[in-house]
Amino acid sequence: MRKPFKTHTFTMISNFCMSLNPKRKLTFLIASLFLFLSASAQNAAEGEKLFKDNCQSCHAINDKVVGPALKDVHKRRDEAWLIKWVKNSQKVVASGDAYAVEIFKKYGSVMTAFESLSDGQVKSILAYVKQESEKAPVAVTASASTSSTASANQATNDSMKSNINWLLIIVVGLLFVVIFLVFNILETVGRIQGHDVVNWSSINGFLMLAIGLGGVALSIWEFMIHAPLTVSAQKPASEHGPGIDSMFNITLLFTGIVFIITQVALFYFAWKYRAKKNTKAYFYSHNDKLEYAWTIVPAIVLTILVINGLKNWNKIFSKPAPGTANVEVFAYQFGWTARYPGADNTLGKHDFREIGKANALGVLTDDPKSADDFTSSEIHLPVNKPVTFKFRAKDVIHSAYLPHFRVQMNVVPGLPTEFTFTPTVTTAEMRTQLNNPKFDYALLCNKICGAAHYRMKVTVVIDSQSEYDKWVSEQKPAFTKSATIETPAAETQTADAGHPVSNKPLAVK
Amino acid sequence: MSHDHSHEAHGHAHVHHHEENFITKYVFSQDHKMIAKQFLITGIVMGVLGMLMSMVFRLQLGFPDMDMAFLKPFLGKWISVDETTGFGKLDPNFYLALITIHGTIMVFFVLTAGLSGTFSNLLIPLQCGARDMASPFLNMLSYWFFFLSSLVMFCSLFVEDGPASPGWTVYPPLSALPKALPGSGTGMTLWLISMIFFIVSALLGGMNYITTVLNMRTKGMKMSRMPLTIWAFLLTAVLGLLSFPVLFGGSLLLVMDRSFGTSFYLSDIPVELTGGIERTGGSPVLFQHLFWFLGHPEVYIILMPALGITSEVIATNSRKPIFGYRAMIISLLGIAFLSFIVWAHHMFITGMNPFLGSVFMVTTLIIAVPSAVKTFNYLTTLWRGNIQFTPAMMFAIGLVSFFIAGGLTGIFLGNAALDINLHDTYFVVAHFHIVMGSAAIFGMFSGIYHWFPKLFRRHMNKAAGYVHFWLTFISAYGVFFPMHFIGLAGVPRRYYANTAYESFDVWMDVNQFITICALLGGLAQVIFLINFFYSIRKGRKSEQNPWKSNTLEWTAPVEHLHGNWPGEIPTVYRWPYDYSNPNYTEDFVPQNVPHEGQTDENQEFEHPHPTT
Amino acid sequence: MSTETTALKKTKSIWAGGFSPFNVSYGKLMMWIFLLSDAFTFSSLLVAYGTIRFSHPSPPHGNVVIEGQTIKPLGHVPENFVELLGETKNAEGVAYFSKQHWPSPELVFNHFPGLHGLHLPLFFVSLMTFILIFSSVTMVLAVEAGHRMDQNSVRKYMFYTILGGLAFLGCQAWEWTQFITEGASLHGNPFGPTAFAALFFIVTGFHGFHVFSGVVLNFIIYLNAINGTYAKRGHYEMIEKVGLYWHFVDLVWVFVFTFFYLI
């Protein structure tokens, strides 16, 4: 087994956000080197952004994710073919192109049609892929060298390793059989002698005490080490966050006390009252007062927690104040797009039947409200302003999870969901707080949604108001009529889609 | 519902057993003891399968850059091997399939059928004092439907596009759209077929268990004298009987959506994903309601038999009456009832109306009260006992420990506001693996060690049992305890690798530790398997009442008779927990021993109150 | 043994064991339990119906007016009735049939075999309901005859029950055929949302499957009754058990009828 990650010791609490895969560091360095050297650097830089926005959720350079690894894709097909494919792979498949059909069959899933990308944009993506392909072998060697093994030795090691695995399994298996036979002999001897050879009662009693109490101690120790690494230990970055956190702490206090008392009692009793010769247990069948007590006390504690919980829950899901800014968060396999309402503060209408036709989001361009809407593959929000995320999913259920803000809501196709919250800490402030200049808030997918579920992430940036205004001013409307590709969408629709039923000829008796 | 006519007159008249051939004795047996063994062994086989799957995905999670080429002989095309370097990687789609099938197998095949199927079958007739189940024929059908279901599930592993992989909860639209997930093709169809067979099996079993407990108790076996195991099995069967049909309804609609073009659960799905027909007008959340209406009672279907077994084992081996017998029954009833009105706590943030969320939060936290009562009663039963450390007892103590640890984290998750940040993270994985995974499997092990002499007429090796217990106990906590913290750090579950985000890297060493613990836990099960199968043939022969227990099954002869008791079925005169009763010199008084002056006609003695 | 510290009670309990608490055989108890379980299956389907039904707007109110003429029950309707209703709007300006809202069942199910071109809202389904209830009555009579050990009456009433069941299935087949020829299928529905047709086929189909199983069971016990199996056995309990099932199927239909046709 190679060990690519530096093994963190438990004490590296403060470093936790700094930890970075050495392989990545190197890749980053080389990438920047290339940026200066390469002639098509400008293109590749644009391509990198486009790649991250559009391709990364399903493709990697060296690994197969949902779609194939893209390394050397420019050598496999010519540019014109690739542009056609990216824009609408199904058309290429339908045209009977043998290579296209083969790829489609091999990977089994339909690649999203990126008809909104211009030829130039696809070319920059290809430039980026080309650039990455060329440096890829360097990165592999680099990663191999981190485990201080030359890549030449790697192969032989691997084949040896698989032999050792088998040997190991056989040895362990035999060991078990031997141990088992020893136990059997012990038991037979014990039966002949009339009592156990080993005093199991005291051994197990001792182990109950040692492992049980030791376990409780270990769990407290682990709590002290690991709790500071959790997001709950960080200052929540939203207005409702402290409410959730304080409730978490109250619950933790109650349950922690109960956990320690009951576990200690359990293992202590097990040790203390282990079987002894010539003793008889105390006949104690019930005690109504005791039983009432431990029904009522938990009930009271839980009532406190319930009331507290209800208060928080209802506050979080109370109706947003009028005028709260809306941002649409659109989820698809495997990525997120944010749509901002633009100057009119109103999101344009959308229809799932238009998805992938005029634009990837299915936004209706003939709705005047959509004219100034703009999209972004990074979510920017101004600090201390309430915002309502309007969630919409294209294909399957996703879940928008923003752990730092204590926000989560499922994104369900056909069912509009929303979550209103107020971010209170800017990205910059959080970076200083965590002493990690690379920190970014993230929105993660937290509902199983397919092969690249684990890569479905978008960066969330909390800006100060002025930064935010500047960012907004840089955005361009995405759904102006001229910017979209005209398709005869209305004509190709099936007759019964959204039209009055009377269009359909019917036989009536 | 048709009944086999030959069993029309069946009742208490099964005393004479006739010679049977191999097929009727071992294969299509109608004897509840043989059916129990069939359930157990099928359950163990499925359990091994589920466990091996968990090890593969644990390797992936603990060592994401590991060379998996050595798994190629087993997993075939699901390990993609780089031609130049020979480096093997697990396919992300197959990872999802592994977690899905692992969950399905463990929840349904091992902990529902393997646990409740085995022990309900073995103990209901023996502890109630009945010759056999009410309908031995339906009982046999119940096993064979389960077997068929297991077989279909197993076959689905070898489907071209891979087995079902949308998670064991199979939420549509993911499970309904093969274009969104390859496993949602044939693999998912087989999964649904398998589940439908499973539901039929569960219903046939449940009908039998309830009828037998209600109708066929021996004389004197009042409901207030029934062992807690039987109470647990009865309520488990009731839960299954009322909740599995809802899953059936839900699955039926999913089958229609997948194979016949309806849109019950599909809404606003673009044509490119559906294959030409527009799918709209349905409700994805509807499926979640139907699924969790089964899914939550299912948690208790898994747990209650384990709690019942633990009650029996702890009382017997503490040589003390179970503390608060009535409170134990009432809390079981409370849990059973409440389990039907808490399902939507799995759905707080699925887009369900927040008002419903607050209702379900209240009901969910109420269920902690009966659970707390059970815990305290177990502890008090141990107090001042004379604890016999049989392997069964050790596992029962382990169950109590897990029940506490997992139950307490449930208080976090049941709180809707906290669930916002914990939903679908590793915290949830830790919670349910401790409270219903580990606790229930410990209950199952406890039952196996305790009733092995009744099942196979021999003893298992004690020392191997201890090693098995300690290794399993330590490794289970080692696997699941650290997961709480990973979850609190916001790491979502069902991620193929946690390497995609740098902020998760800090948990890499913890993930490695978990994986090593999981492998250790797996090794511990090898000890169990050797012990189990060796002892079936070669174990020490059992005496009639090896644990000096009070319940009726130990009054039946060691040799298995079709009809259980050679003569009259014993009459019951007392409650099952007369251990260390100061009025008797022996520290146990079996249920069929009359009180002084008690006769068959005048046998209405209540169980004794504490003398002090 | 020392003196007992226990209290002595003299109450006799039906729960004391060695006795069936409900005074029924295990078979009948199992049938009850099965029916309870099956009730939950139907409930789940009806809950699914309710959820999807109420996620769509209700059908429009008001009299149906086509070309200035109010369509009354028992009245003649134009040839292209459905087509017209997709365009004709009521006073509130809503078309009677549209993808946007749930259709009104009495406008969908308004046919009667042999009475072509008449608007007969829910007449046929009422007849079906009547047939099924009638067959339940004959089942009661068969059970009662069984108690009297009257083999001939059992035979007679079982025959009527089977006939009723078959008639119901026949009616359902006709109604399905009618609905399908009008263009309904699992993934299409000329009267409105697709889900309406899909739910109709699933729920009535699942119920119809129960009726079909019931008819098969009825037929088996009918044959047994003819052969004198139960006379030899000394009791007709099997009739009671199947009777329970048959009444259950009848009861479920009442719910299906209420949900699908009346609400």
Side-chain angles (χ1 to χ4, degrees):
Chain A
M1 289 173 212
R2 287 184 302 153
K3 230 174 143 200
F5 289 94
K6 198 169 152 200
T7 308
H8 299 272
T9 58
F10 283 133
T11 48
M12 284 179 66
I13 301 163
S14 58
N15 290 4
F16 110 86
C17 283
M18 308 264 291
S19 59
L20 199 64
N21 184 341
K23 173 168 137 194
R24 289 224 180 94
K25 268 184 190 154
L26 201 65
T27 317
F28 182 73
L29 276 176
I30 295 168
S32 31
L33 196 70
F34 266 88
L35 276 180
F36 287 110
L37 298 179
S38 164
S40 59
Q42 193 51 49
N43 268 348
E46 192 202 344
E48 180 172 3
K49 187 168 183 308
L50 286 165
F51 183 86
K52 286 192 171 144
D53 292 352
N54 297 300
C55 320
Q56 182 169 261
S57 55
C58 300
H59 292 283
I61 302 296
N62 289 309
D63 296 325
K64 177 198 160 210
V65 185
V66 178
L70 293 182
K71 190 183 170 203
D72 292 337
V73 73
H74 55 285
K75 290 181 192 157
R76 277 177 257 161
R77 295 275 106 183
D78 61 55
E79 201 170 69
W81 190 93
L82 287 169
I83 291 171
K84 254 199 300 181
W85 174 268
V86 170
K87 288 195 159 183
N88 193 335
S89 64
Q90 284 305 292
K91 251 187 213 163
V92 187
V93 174
S95 75
D97 183 292
Y99 186 81
V101 172
E102 189 202 320
I103 287 281
F104 177 57
K105 276 196 183 143
K106 189 171 171 198
Y107 290 92
S109 52
V110 180
M111 176 170 154
T112 314
F114 291 97
E115 285 177 339
S116 49
L117 292 177
S118 69
D119 286 11
Q121 284 172 316
V122 179
K123 278 181 191 160
S124 353
I125 293 175
L126 292 174
Y128 168 72
V129 170
K130 187 174 169 208
Q131 172 199 301
E132 289 292 307
S133 308
E134 279 156 6
K135 78 190 181 200
V138 186
V140 167
T141 323
S143 88
S145 68
T146 53
S147 55
S148 67
T149 319
S151 56
N153 291 341
Q154 196 74 34
T156 43
N157 264 356
D158 285 348
S159 66
M160 261 174 72
K161 192 173 64 193
S162 54
N163 289 335
I164 290 169
N165 274 327
W166 294 119
L167 201 66
L168 202 73
I169 288 169
I170 293 166
V171 169
V172 170
L174 281 176
L175 198 72
F176 278 170
V177 173
V178 170
I179 293 172
F180 187 74
L181 287 177
V182 172
F183 286 153
N184 251 339
I185 293 163
L186 276 180
E187 195 148 311
T188 317
V189 174
R191 207 175 338 139
I192 293 162
Q193 283 186 352
H195 60 85
D196 277 340
V197 181
V198 182
N199 187 348
W200 287 116
S201 187
S202 51
I203 289 181
N204 281 320
F206 170 75
L207 286 174
M208 280 282 169
L209 194 68
I211 295 183
L213 300 191
V216 174
L218 269 177
S219 61
I220 296 171
W221 178 72
E222 199 204 342
F223 178 81
M224 282 154 58
I225 300 296
H226 278 158
L229 303 186
T230 64
V231 284
S232 307
Q234 294 162 14
K235 191 179 154 205
S238 65
E239 209 173 81
H240 70 272
I244 289 187
D245 280 16
S246 79
M247 198 164 54
F248 182 87
N249 291 334
I250 295 170
T251 315
L252 186 68
L253 183 75
F254 281 128
T255 52
I257 292 169
V258 175
F259 176 78
I260 293 171
I261 292 177
T262 46
Q263 296 280 8
V264 168
L266 175 70
F267 292 107
Y268 175 74
F269 289 168
W271 167 75
K272 171 86 183 170
Y273 302 108
R274 66 193 183 279
K276 294 178 193 95
K277 264 187 195 152
N278 305 324
T279 47
K280 209 168 165 182
Y282 172 53
F283 186 85
Y284 189 42
S285 70
H286 67 293
N287 179 335
D288 288 344
K289 273 185 205 154
L290 256 183
E291 285 164 65
Y292 281 127
W294 60 53
T295 311
I296 292 164
V297 172
I300 292 170
V301 172
L302 287 164
T303 312
I304 297 170
L305 296 178
V306 164
I307 291 170
N308 217 332
L310 283 176
K311 238 164 53 191
N312 271 294
W313 175 254
N314 290 332
K315 207 165 87 193
I316 293 165
F317 284 101
S318 55
K319 274 223 158 64
T324 305
N326 288 330
V327 175
E328 184 186 70
V329 178
F330 180 81
Y332 56 92
Q333 280 179 328
F334 298 93
W336 304 88
T337 307
R339 178 160 68 107
Y340 288 77
D344 64 356
N345 270 328
T346 315
L347 289 159
K349 289 201 180 86
H350 55 80
D351 184 346
F352 76 95
R353 295 176 188 93
E354 300 300 317
I355 287 178
K357 287 182 184 156
N359 53 66
L361 301 188
V363 172
L364 301 178
T365 46
D366 42 6
D367 179 13
K369 299 272 198 286
S370 62
D372 60 349
D373 291 4
F374 61 87
T375 61
S376 165
S377 56
E378 247 183 18
I379 301 177
H380 279 256
L381 298 172
V383 71
N384 292 330
K385 283 272 170 65
V387 59
T388 301
F389 277 166
K390 301 268 185 195
F391 296 111
R392 186 154 67 91
K394 174 189 167 192
D395 31 40
V396 300
I397 301 177
H398 304 273
S399 184
Y401 181 38
L402 300 101
H404 299 95
F405 304 95
R406 318 292 188 257
V407 167
Q408 183 169 204
M409 181 51 72
N410 282 10
V411 187
V412 188
L415 177 82
T417 55
E418 60 176 60
F419 200 110
T420 305
F421 70 106
T422 312
T424 53
V425 185
T426 63
T427 301
E429 282 164 9
M430 200 60 156
R431 283 179 180 169
T432 355
Q433 220 174 79
L434 295 173
N435 195 19
N436 175 7
K438 293 216 171 59
F439 173 84
D440 265 320
Y441 293 118
L443 187 159
L444 313 168
C445 181
N446 196 14
K447 185 63 80 186
I448 181 169
C449 64
H453 171 47
Y454 72 108
R455 299 164 71 101
M456 191 170 153
K457 177 185 94 158
V458 62
T459 304
V460 178
V461 182
I462 306 298
D463 292 322
S464 66
Q465 189 65 47
S466 57
E467 286 168 338
Y468 180 72
D469 292 341
K470 182 166 168 280
W471 177 78
V472 169
S473 66
E474 286 163 2
Q475 304 305 310
K476 292 184 199 95
F479 305 105
T480 48
K481 278 201 162 167
S482 56
T484 57
I485 305 144
E486 292 295 335
T487 45
E491 278 72 35
T492 54
Q493 263 179 7
T494 47
D496 59 340
H499 297 285
V501 282
S502 55
N503 292 353
K504 203 173 179 183
L506 287 163
V508 180
K509 290 197 178 108
Chain B
M1 192 71 267
S2 100
H3 294 283
D4 188 326
H5 295 259
S6 60
H7 292 283
E8 184 61 13
H10 171 80
H12 296 260
H14 253 301
V15 188
H16 307 289
H17 65 109
H18 36 86
E19 281 306 309
E20 290 177 298
N21 58 29
F22 180 83
I23 298 280
T24 56
K25 191 168 176 193
Y26 294 106
V27 185
F28 295 107
S29 170
Q30 298 191 11
D31 186 303
H32 71 101
K33 298 180 289 294
M34 182 54 70
I35 295 173
K37 286 191 237 182
Q38 291 173 328
F39 266 110
L40 179 59
I41 290 180
T42 317
I44 287 177
V45 171
M46 292 306 273
V48 169
L49 192 65
M51 190 185 68
L52 290 175
M53 288 180 173
S54 71
M55 302 206 154
V56 176
F57 66 70
R58 249 348 294 187
L59 281 179
Q60 162 64 30
L61 288 172
F63 305 95
D65 281 10
M66 180 179 170
D67 181 3
M68 297 263 197
F70 72 99
L71 286 171
K72 184 93 182 161
F74 305 104
L75 301 181
K77 71 166 180 175
W78 301 115
I79 300 287
S80 55
V81 174
D82 191 310
E83 276 150 28
T84 46
T85 58
F87 191 81
K89 281 191 89 121
L90 184 69
D91 184 276
N93 274 314
F94 194 66
Y95 170 84
L96 297 181
L98 283 174
I99 57 160
T100 303
I101 305 293
H102 165 80
T104 311
I105 284 183
M106 289 305 193
V107 167
F108 293 109
F109 293 78
V110 181
L111 293 174
T112 303
L115 173 58
S116 141
T118 304
F119 292 103
S120 296
N121 261 306
L122 176 71
L123 295 178
I124 286 178
L126 276 168
Q127 288 196 334
C128 284
R131 297 281 181 204
D132 203 317
M133 282 291 176
S135 171
F137 177 72
L138 291 188
N139 206 23
M140 176 189 79
L141 277 189
S142 165
Y143 171 73
W144 284 102
F145 269 107
F146 167 57
F147 183 78
L148 196 62
S149 161
S150 312
L151 204 65
V152 174
M153 189 61 77
F154 185 71
C155 291
S156 83
L157 299 178
F158 305 100
V159 166
E160 177 66 24
D161 290 332
S165 33
W168 79 280
T169 54
V170 297
Y171 282 3
L174 189 60
S175 61
L177 303 172
K179 289 195 174 175
L181 185 73
S184 292
T186 323
M188 190 62 215
T189 305
L190 289 176
W191 191 96
L192 284 165
I193 292 171
S194 169
M195 279 326 289
I196 284 173
F197 285 139
F198 188 89
I199 293 167
V200 173
S201 158
L203 294 183
L204 290 173
M207 280 158 59
N208 241 325
Y209 306 151
I210 297 172
T211 313
T212 310
V213 173
L214 291 182
N215 246 18
M216 299 178 66
R217 280 166 289 124
T218 183
K219 222 173 156 192
M221 181 62 89
K222 299 196 290 186
M223 298 298 272
S224 56
R225 281 178 186 162
M226 280 196 324
L228 287 169
T229 35
I230 301 299
W231 268 106
F233 297 147
L234 173 66
L235 293 172
T236 302
V238 172
L239 291 191
L241 203 87
L242 300 185
S243 61
F244 270 115
V246 176
L247 179 67
F248 180 84
S251 308
L252 186 70
L253 298 185
L254 186 54
V255 169
M256 299 310 290
D257 270 8
R258 290 171 38 74
S259 309
F260 300 95
T262 58
S263 307
F264 297 117
Y265 303 132
L266 301 176
S267 187
D268 294 7
I269 308 287
V271 174
E272 69 174 79
L273 278 158
T274 60
I277 317 164
E278 182 184 292
R279 304 311 251 325
T280 190
S283 162
V285 177
L286 170 65
F287 177 83
Q288 300 175 18
H289 278 293
L290 295 177
F291 180 86
W292 286 114
F293 188 85
L294 158 91
H296 200 80
E298 172 66 23
V299 170
Y300 292 96
I301 290 172
I302 285 171
L303 194 59
M304 286 214 298
L307 292 175
I309 287 170
T310 304
S311 306
E312 178 66 25
V313 170
I314 283 194
T316 305
N317 290 300
S318 298
R319 315 306 297 159
K320 269 187 75 184
I322 190 85
F323 183 78
Y325 174 69
R326 263 162 217 275
M328 292 300 249
I329 295 173
I330 293 167
S331 58
L332 274 179
L333 286 166
I335 289 173
F337 170 72
L338 287 169
S339 73
F340 278 108
I341 51 168
V342 298
W343 80 87
H345 65 218
H346 298 267
M347 303 166 56
F348 282 140
I349 53 145
T350 53
M352 188 178 72
N353 187 330
F355 171 71
L356 277 181
S358 38
V359 173
F360 279 99
M361 165 160 83
V362 174
T363 55
T364 301
L365 292 188
I366 293 174
I367 213 167
V369 175
S371 311
V373 171
K374 290 197 87 71
T375 307
F376 290 125
N377 284 1
Y378 285 136
L379 290 178
T380 321
T381 307
L382 291 174
W383 179 70
R384 294 186 65 183
N386 188 30
I387 297 170
Q388 318 286 315
F389 283 123
T390 63
M393 181 62 172
M394 315 267 286
F395 276 101
I397 292 173
L399 176 144
V400 177
S401 175
F402 285 123
F403 187 56
I404 297 169
L408 288 172
T409 50
I411 295 176
F412 293 82
L413 292 166
N415 190 329
L418 294 180
D419 188 62
I420 293 172
N421 217 41
L422 298 175
H423 184 88
D424 264 353
T425 62
Y426 268 89
F427 193 85
V428 179
V429 179
H431 161 70
F432 74 76
H433 273 100
I434 289 183
V435 80
M436 78 175 213
S438 303
I441 205 90
F442 270 51
M444 185 167 168
F445 281 133
S446 177
I448 292 173
Y449 281 103
H450 194 76
W451 282 287
F452 193 87
K454 198 75 237 168
L455 278 165
F456 298 103
R457 292 167 285 166
R458 288 170 188 276
H459 277 282
M460 284 175 82
N461 185 301
K462 209 160 64 171
Y466 295 142
V467 176
H468 174 218
F469 167 77
W470 283 116
L471 286 181
T472 313
F473 183 73
I474 292 168
S475 59
Y477 264 123
V479 170
F480 300 120
F481 198 80
M483 279 190 190
H484 290 115
F485 299 98
I486 302 185
L488 290 175
V491 181
R493 68 195 279 209
R494 290 165 175 163
Y495 268 22
Y496 165 71
N498 294 326
T499 48
Y501 308 145
E502 274 138 29
S503 67
F504 296 161
D505 286 356
V506 70
W507 299 102
M508 204 55 237
D509 51 354
V510 181
N511 268 319
Q512 290 174 356
F513 175 76
I514 290 175
T515 301
I516 290 163
C517 284
L519 294 175
L520 180 75
L523 282 182
Q525 307 322 305
V526 177
I527 302 178
F528 168 74
L529 291 174
I530 295 174
N531 194 355
F532 183 84
F533 287 106
Y534 176 87
S535 304
I536 288 179
R537 301 301 302 254
K538 294 277 171 83
R540 174 164 65 85
K541 284 226 169 75
S542 169
E543 52 274 45
Q544 189 174 355
N545 189 356
W547 317 118
K548 297 193 169 55
S549 186
N550 286 343
T551 39
L552 282 189
E553 75 271 30
W554 305 108
T555 62
V558 177
E559 286 304 315
H560 284 179
L561 303 177
H562 197 184
N564 293 340
W565 286 271
E568 285 261 301
I569 301 178
T571 304
V572 166
Y573 296 100
R574 60 176 72 232
W575 74 320
Y577 296 110
D578 249 344
Y579 291 106
S580 299
N581 188 332
N583 298 323
Y584 295 83
T585 42
E586 279 283 346
D587 70 351
F588 70 111
V589 192
Q591 281 191 284
N592 58 340
V593 175
H595 293 270
E596 202 173 293
Q598 192 180 22
T599 63
D600 282 10
E601 287 72 38
N602 172 25
Q603 54 139 307
E604 298 296 323
F605 282 75
E606 283 307 304
H607 68 77
H609 288 250
T611 42
T612 47
Chain C
M1 246 177 253
S2 61
T3 44
E4 296 287 344
T5 55
T6 52
L8 194 75
K9 278 199 197 162
K10 285 254 173 188
T11 46
K12 259 277 175 219
S13 165
I14 54 164
W15 293 94
F19 188 80
S20 162
F22 306 111
N23 205 10
V24 290
S25 72
Y26 83 92
K28 237 201 254 178
L29 188 60
M30 276 175 110
M31 181 54 89
W32 275 110
I33 293 169
F34 168 73
L35 295 180
L36 184 65
S37 173
D38 212 26
F40 272 71
T41 321
F42 276 106
S43 310
S44 71
L45 293 178
L46 290 177
V47 164
Y49 170 82
T51 313
I52 293 172
R53 159 69 185 81
F54 289 106
S55 68
H56 291 84
S58 288
H61 298 286
N63 288 333
V64 183
V65 182
I66 299 178
E67 290 162 0
Q69 206 184 345
T70 306
I71 302 292
K72 291 209 171 84
L74 303 175
H76 277 274
V77 290
E79 267 303 289
N80 51 350
F81 182 63
V82 181
E83 207 175 313
L84 281 171
L85 287 188
E87 285 168 351
T88 311
K89 302 194 160 111
N90 72 347
E92 286 123 46
V94 186
Y96 291 96
F97 290 144
S98 138
K99 284 280 171 210
Q100 312 313 322
H101 60 73
W102 209 250
S104 180
E106 67 247 33
L107 295 179
V108 179
F109 304 106
N110 64 347
H111 305 283
F112 205 92
L115 298 175
H116 182 71
L118 279 180
H119 178 53
L120 301 165
L122 305 184
F123 276 43
F124 186 61
V125 73
S126 307
L127 175 71
M128 284 168 69
T129 310
F130 176 74
I131 290 173
L132 202 60
I133 291 176
F134 188 76
S135 79
S136 241
V137 173
T138 55
M139 185 49 119
V140 171
L141 293 171
V143 171
E144 189 269 342
H147 283 304
R148 286 186 282 113
M149 300 293 290
D150 180 348
Q151 192 179 344
N152 282 333
S153 296
V154 170
R155 270 167 53 185
K156 183 173 73 186
Y157 289 125
M158 279 315 297
F159 180 72
Y160 291 149
T161 310
I162 293 169
L163 219 57
L166 288 175
F168 179 86
L169 286 174
C171 290
Q172 200 166 35
W174 186 85
E175 192 169 54
W176 275 40
T177 316
Q178 173 66 29
F179 198 35
I180 291 167
T181 45
E182 283 174 348
S185 71
L186 286 169
H187 39 75
N189 176 17
F191 304 99
T194 314
F196 176 80
L199 280 164
F200 174 81
F201 286 121
I202 284 294
V203 178
T204 61
F206 195 63
H207 177 264
F209 174 71
H210 275 70
V211 177
F212 174 75
S213 323
V215 170
V216 171
L217 289 179
N218 283 344
F219 190 69
I220 292 169
I221 58 171
Y222 174 61
L223 286 184
N224 281 335
I226 291 178
N227 291 337
T229 313
Y230 305 128
K232 259 178 257 160
R233 199 178 283 170
H235 59 81
Y236 280 82
E237 202 194 72
M238 203 62 201
I239 311 261
E240 285 183 53
K241 282 189 255 183
V242 177
L244 281 176
Y245 177 78
W246 193 250
H247 296 319
F248 170 77
V249 168
D250 195 5
L251 181 73
V252 167
W253 176 254
V254 172
F255 280 95
V256 172
F257 178 68
T258 312
F259 275 95
F260 263 88
Y261 296 95
L262 299 183
I263 295 179

